[in-house]
Amino acid sequence: MASSRAPADDGRQQHQSLEDPPMAPQKQQSIRDYFRWRPLPWWLCFVGGIFLLTKLQLVYIDSPCAILGTQSPVTKAEIQRAFRRLSLCTHSDLLRGRLQRSPTPAEERRANILFNRASSAKDDLTKVLKRSKKKEAECYEGELEQAVVAFFAQAGGALVGLGVYDYFEIAKGIAWNLLTFESGFFNTVMSVLWLAFVYRIMKQFLVYLWRMGVIRGSVALVTTVVSSVGNGP
């Protein structure tokens, strides 16, 4: 009986081995498995577009060099030359001779605005030259980027300075205003819509970071460092 069962068992094992494919060896994960490129969220593109348009306006429209019509960097002689050229066309005492007629009130107002902008740009560049003690002055020194960094630094400092009790009081105050309509029906509805919008944006941002692998990569890096320190020599 034992000899008759042995061939049957061998045939059953061979049949199972044919049906079940062999397990593929697990591939070691690389850095690409943690960080994967994903399409940017629409709101991130919107914020980036606003930042880019603002910077273009500051550099090519509102900067002192753009107002005077010069290129950065600029010297003191170039500043005076550009301001003199603009003042011949915009100064109130020279406008009549330039037009060879009496200027209209609209032309006088426009010329006055342009002259004041040119005078302010000349003064700003002159102050930069005196402060830096250099022969050339830069018209744009990253003021927008510095303002953004300063804003986030102040916001982060304010958030860090708050304690757990402060956050609890803020949440309680918001919940009380929403439940009791203390700020009015319209303001309460707008507050609810705003909170829902912020929640959705933050959720999309966290999901985007998770799919990109930023969160997973950071957690993997921290756990690796902690385990290596814990195992130590």
Side-chain angles (χ1 to χ4, degrees):
M1 294 295 292
S3 61
S4 63
R5 291 180 181 177
D9 294 339
D10 295 339
R12 190 181 300 109
Q13 292 177 358
Q14 293 177 359
H15 181 68
Q16 290 179 356
S17 62
L18 292 176
E19 289 182 353
D20 298 335
M23 297 295 293
Q26 294 183 356
K27 184 180 178 181
Q28 186 177 4
Q29 292 183 345
S30 62
I31 191 67
R32 295 182 180 179
D33 297 329
Y34 292 101
F35 299 95
R36 298 178 181 177
W37 294 107
R38 299 285 181 177
L40 293 176
W42 66 268
W43 56 270
L44 191 59
C45 298
F46 179 74
V47 173
I50 292 178
F51 177 83
L52 181 60
L53 291 176
T54 305
K55 184 173 182 178
L56 290 176
Q57 181 176 358
L58 290 177
V59 175
Y60 296 104
I61 298 177
D62 296 336
S63 66
C65 287
I67 296 174
L68 294 177
T70 59
Q71 294 182 356
S72 180
V74 63
T75 61
K76 185 176 181 179
E78 292 174 347
I79 296 171
Q80 294 177 352
R81 192 183 308 116
F83 177 73
R84 190 181 303 110
R85 184 178 64 252
L86 290 175
S87 63
L88 292 175
C89 303
T90 57
H91 196 275
S92 58
D93 297 337
L94 303 175
L95 187 60
R96 182 187 297 271
R98 190 72 176 179
L99 296 175
Q100 296 182 355
R101 59 177 175 81
S102 298
T104 62
E107 290 174 343
E108 290 182 354
R109 185 167 56 253
R110 189 180 303 113
N112 188 23
I113 293 173
L114 293 176
F115 179 79
N116 291 335
R117 290 190 65 189
S119 179
S120 178
K122 178 180 73 69
D123 295 338
D124 292 340
L125 290 176
T126 303
K127 292 179 181 178
V128 172
L129 285 174
K130 291 181 179 179
R131 185 173 61 251
S132 61
K133 297 180 180 181
K134 297 180 180 179
K135 296 182 179 180
E136 294 180 346
E138 296 288 344
C139 292
Y140 181 79
E141 298 179 347
E143 288 82 1
L144 180 60
E145 289 81 358
Q146 294 176 7
V148 172
V149 172
F151 170 77
F152 281 105
Q154 293 178 358
L159 293 176
V160 172
L162 297 176
V164 178
Y165 181 76
D166 297 327
Y167 285 108
F168 175 76
E169 289 294 329
I170 293 173
K172 185 175 70 173
I174 293 174
W176 176 260
N177 290 329
L178 295 179
L179 293 175
T180 60
F181 293 89
E182 186 176 354
S183 300
F185 179 78
F186 180 76
N187 292 332
T188 303
V189 172
M190 294 301 297
S191 299
V192 171
L193 294 177
W194 173 250
L195 291 175
F197 174 75
V198 172
Y199 170 76
R200 183 178 180 182
I201 293 299
M202 294 302 298
K203 181 180 178 181
Q204 290 180 356
F205 182 66
L206 293 176
V207 170
Y208 174 76
L209 292 180
W210 177 263
R211 291 178 178 177
M212 279 284 293
V214 176
I215 298 178
R216 289 179 294 175
S218 302
V219 172
L221 179 62
V222 172
T223 53
T224 303
V225 172
V226 171
S227 61
S228 61
V229 171
N231 294 331

